[in-house]
Amino acid sequence: MLGALAAIPVLIAIAVRVTSGSSSGRGPAFLDQITQNGLFVALTAMVVSTPLFLPLTVGVVAGDTISGEASHGTLRYLLAAPAGRVRLLVVKFVGAAVFCLSAAGSVVLAGILIGAILFPVGPVTLLSGDTVGPVESIGRLALVASYVAVSLLGLSAIGLFISTLTDVPVGAMAATVVLAVTAQVLGALPQLDWLHPWLFTNYWLGFADLLRQPIAWDSFGSNAVLQLGYIVVFGALAYSRFTTKDVLS
Amino acid sequence: MTAALAAAFAVETRGLTKRFGAHAAVDDVHLAVPRGSVFGFLGPNGSGKTTTIRMLLGLASATAGEIRVLGRDMPHELNTVLPQVGALVEGPAFYPFLSGAANLHRLDTANRYAPGSTRNTRVRDALARVGLGHAEHKKVHAYSLGMKQRLGLANALLSPRELLVLDEPTNGLDPQGTREVRHLVRSLAADGATVFVSSHLLSEIEQICTHVGVMSAGRLVSQGTLDELRSTSDRRVRVVTPDPEAATRVLSGLGMQPVAFSESDLRPGDVESGVTAGLTDSVAPEEVVAALVTAGVRVRGFELVSSTLEERFVELTGEGFDVVQ
């Protein structure tokens, strides 16, 4: 799955390279800047993959955590080992969190590499108008990756909880992904303004604030607090469900 | 008294009940598995054996009743109890894309009480003990059913255990494998471990078990030593003779109620007729033979027949192929 994620910036870069010259101004943010600076490949790929591709892979991983073990039948052996139910849950969540980080990281890393190969790399003009060198730009991209990774933690907690409800991993994966999409649809409806700050997807594309000088940490902070809230709530739900669950698989 | 009693039993349940909705899968079960015994847990399909085992291992919670495993309360002292318990529950289950050794590594790592320093040795020993040494680096999806079953047994043997809970341990094994499992169970028992074997292969149980419990429709209908279970049913004498009338007269004189062979009593090779009779406590079998010979009855064969475990089992759990509900 990390390979599939890394393929996204590669596809974008190759597509832009092959059709270069037609800077129409359409397409995802930052797309038409790629030809001037390869570092924008990573950013464009992040904008493209945050709404669907990343949640999809995180949904697969988080939805599989407990229900995958149950469907293999290995859950009963892990618990009889004894792994400890709380310990198993924590390990599974940490695993999902590590996946979030490596998923976001591989998109950015592959973007930087392919961008550097196919396009010139130079100083980047930030959204605030300031210019920073390539090294600091890469630092900023790493910050973007960690922002996106943090953004996905809430979804991981939701997936972990859904995974404790069923022995069918595909069901848990699908439900998690559907929730991610639904939350974004709700977030796009202006009539539901009051709900937006509570949606775990609310700050997903807020990483642009990390591209200002000085860095605006507000959205990073609010995002982290929101995701933490989701981890607490769904972690508690997963805990109460899993510690009392009859393992009959 | 309770403390001594608890220590005497490796597994003890009181009023253990598990309901799924209105249906009681396990109903008021009082198990008592003595330490050091090889306990055969019998019952037809759907009689609640596996559900009971799941509760013993803390996988499922009991609706009512108490469970003590190795003298400790389950599931509250699960973390103290389970490291001493090796389990094979409802068939082996492994990650197909990992090798046998890697699977055991993973499960041993999951046991936080298992020392990591001896892990490699213990994994290798367990695999060797079940005869999988040559296949330890093969992926599990390439294993046959019997090999998976062996790997499941190896997992149960990863650490020194005081209690082994083996659910259908010979499932899918070839005759050699079945024999090896029998040897394995005996050697484990000889090392002082208690072995709790669930099975519906009665001959298997008859060969390895010292104690037996029989489940039927969620209830424990009988429990005791193998001999107790057998001896509660009557013993019979079976006399093969060309003089059935004379034999009948002699046996009647001893206070027995002889019955001439019917069609179904004849075995291949029995060209003769004969009689069977229930043996009463007052008459020893050898006295019966002496009386027959004294009376001039020509005896071709004499046999003491106690009902087999199978007969006893069917007696307890009922005939028929339907799953009892």
Side-chain angles (χ1 to χ4, degrees):
Chain A
M1 272 194 299
L2 292 179
L5 283 169
I8 293 170
V10 174
L11 280 176
I12 292 173
I14 292 174
V16 170
R17 178 76 194 179
V18 169
T19 62
S20 65
S22 61
S23 174
S24 61
R26 287 185 290 129
F30 312 114
L31 184 66
D32 43 8
Q33 311 215 24
I34 288 176
T35 44
Q36 279 101 58
N37 194 335
L39 292 178
F40 278 101
V41 174
L43 214 50
T44 313
M46 218 44 156
V47 173
V48 170
S49 51
T50 296
L52 186 62
F53 269 106
L54 282 170
L56 195 70
T57 54
V58 169
V60 167
V61 168
D64 189 54
T65 44
I66 302 294
S67 57
E69 299 283 356
S71 75
H72 269 120
T74 41
L75 185 57
R76 59 177 184 267
Y77 286 108
L78 285 174
L79 293 182
R85 296 197 181 205
V86 179
R87 181 163 162 259
L88 185 64
L89 215 49
V90 170
V91 168
K92 286 293 185 183
F93 183 73
V94 170
V98 168
F99 177 81
C100 291
L101 194 60
S102 29
S106 40
V107 172
V108 165
L109 198 65
I112 293 174
L113 289 178
I114 193 75
I117 293 169
L118 295 182
F119 302 102
V121 171
V124 174
T125 307
L126 296 174
L127 295 176
S128 53
D130 305 79
T131 304
V132 294
V135 175
E136 200 194 328
S137 324
I138 291 176
R140 294 288 177 103
L141 285 173
L143 269 182
V144 169
S146 56
Y147 180 98
V148 172
V150 169
S151 302
L152 294 168
L153 290 180
L155 182 64
S156 304
I158 294 173
L160 183 72
F161 167 60
I162 296 177
S163 194
T164 62
L165 300 177
T166 172
D167 293 344
V168 186
V170 176
M173 294 174 192
T176 311
V177 175
V178 165
L179 270 180
V181 173
T182 311
Q184 291 181 82
V185 171
L186 294 179
L189 298 176
Q191 287 84 351
L192 296 175
D193 259 345
W194 54 272
L195 181 67
H196 291 175
W198 301 100
L199 292 172
F200 60 94
T201 51
N202 193 37
Y203 301 99
W204 271 14
L205 288 170
F207 51 76
D209 286 356
L210 299 171
L211 306 175
R212 296 178 203 280
Q213 190 76 325
I215 297 176
W217 288 102
D218 300 5
S219 50
F220 197 107
S222 333
N223 183 36
V225 170
L226 179 71
Q227 301 299 331
L228 189 67
Y230 269 90
I231 294 172
V232 169
V233 171
F234 283 91
L237 285 174
Y239 168 83
S240 65
R241 164 69 184 160
F242 189 56
T243 47
T244 55
K245 182 182 180 170
D246 280 352
V247 177
L248 301 173
S249 57
Chain B
M1 178 208 148
T2 38
L5 210 64
F9 292 111
V11 176
E12 194 186 11
T13 69
R14 279 198 210 114
L16 185 63
T17 303
K18 177 73 184 179
R19 286 178 192 287
F20 295 108
H23 169 63
V26 174
D27 193 3
D28 194 27
V29 164
H30 295 254
L31 261 181
V33 179
R35 266 187 202 251
S37 66
V38 179
F39 190 94
F41 197 40
L42 293 170
N45 299 122
S47 57
K49 298 191 299 284
T50 300
T51 307
T52 306
I53 288 177
R54 283 180 185 280
M55 287 190 282
L56 296 182
L57 295 174
L59 293 175
S61 57
T63 311
E66 279 175 52
I67 306 172
R68 293 186 80 80
V69 177
L70 299 173
R72 289 172 185 278
D73 183 55
M74 281 292 272
H76 298 107
E77 292 176 85
L78 186 139
N79 286 330
T80 330
V81 174
L82 287 186
Q84 316 288 331
V85 180
L88 177 68
V89 196
E90 221 183 351
F94 295 101
Y95 305 96
F97 47 87
L98 290 179
S99 73
N103 263 296
L104 292 191
H105 260 273
R106 191 173 188 275
L107 285 167
D108 197 61
T109 314
N111 176 2
R112 83 186 97 160
Y113 304 94
S117 52
T118 57
R119 187 161 293 144
N120 284 323
T121 335
R122 285 184 293 114
V123 166
R124 217 173 308 121
D125 290 350
L127 285 166
R129 201 159 178 189
V130 298
L132 275 183
H134 62 286
E136 58 177 310
H137 297 304
K138 253 194 197 175
K139 299 261 188 293
V140 166
H141 67 74
Y143 276 28
S144 68
L145 176 62
M147 287 165 83
K148 285 183 192 153
Q149 189 74 16
R150 285 163 192 252
L151 191 58
L153 285 167
N155 171 46
L157 301 173
L158 271 178
S159 301
R161 314 284 197 186
E162 280 186 49
L163 171 67
L164 284 138
V165 177
L166 306 177
D167 194 5
E168 306 282 357
T170 55
N171 214 2
L173 290 182
D174 48 25
Q176 290 91 329
T178 311
R179 265 173 76 99
E180 282 165 35
V181 167
R182 227 179 287 142
H183 285 303
L184 192 65
V185 168
R186 287 208 190 98
S187 74
L188 290 167
D191 293 346
T194 310
V195 188
F196 186 89
V197 193
S198 108
S199 182
H200 46 238
L201 296 177
L202 299 164
S203 60
E204 203 60 42
I205 295 287
E206 224 166 353
Q207 286 183 63
I208 56 175
C209 293
T210 56
H211 291 68
V212 178
V214 181
M215 293 285 287
S216 177
R219 291 180 160 274
L220 187 67
V221 287
S222 178
Q223 161 170 258
T225 66
L226 193 58
D227 293 334
E228 277 168 8
L229 187 74
R230 283 214 203 96
S231 66
T232 44
S233 61
D234 55 348
R235 293 189 304 164
R236 304 181 70 80
V237 293
R238 185 173 185 280
V239 184
V240 184
T241 170
D243 310 323
E245 294 81 12
T248 304
R249 237 175 291 120
V250 172
L251 293 180
S252 302
L254 287 169
M256 301 161 83
Q257 278 137 23
V259 186
F261 276 10
S262 63
E263 200 72 31
S264 63
D265 288 324
L266 285 175
R267 295 179 190 164
D270 281 350
V271 286
E272 310 289 340
S273 49
V275 290
T276 64
L279 195 63
T280 50
D281 286 338
S282 55
V283 189
E286 55 272 19
E287 289 170 26
V288 178
V289 181
L292 286 168
V293 173
T294 314
V297 178
R298 295 174 293 165
V299 177
R300 176 167 287 196
F302 181 86
E303 198 181 345
L304 197 57
V305 189
S306 50
S307 64
T308 62
L309 192 58
E310 182 175 320
E311 285 159 357
R312 186 73 186 123
F313 179 76
V314 170
E315 218 172 282
L316 286 166
T317 60
E319 297 264 5
F321 203 61
D322 289 335
V323 173
V324 185
Q325 287 297 329

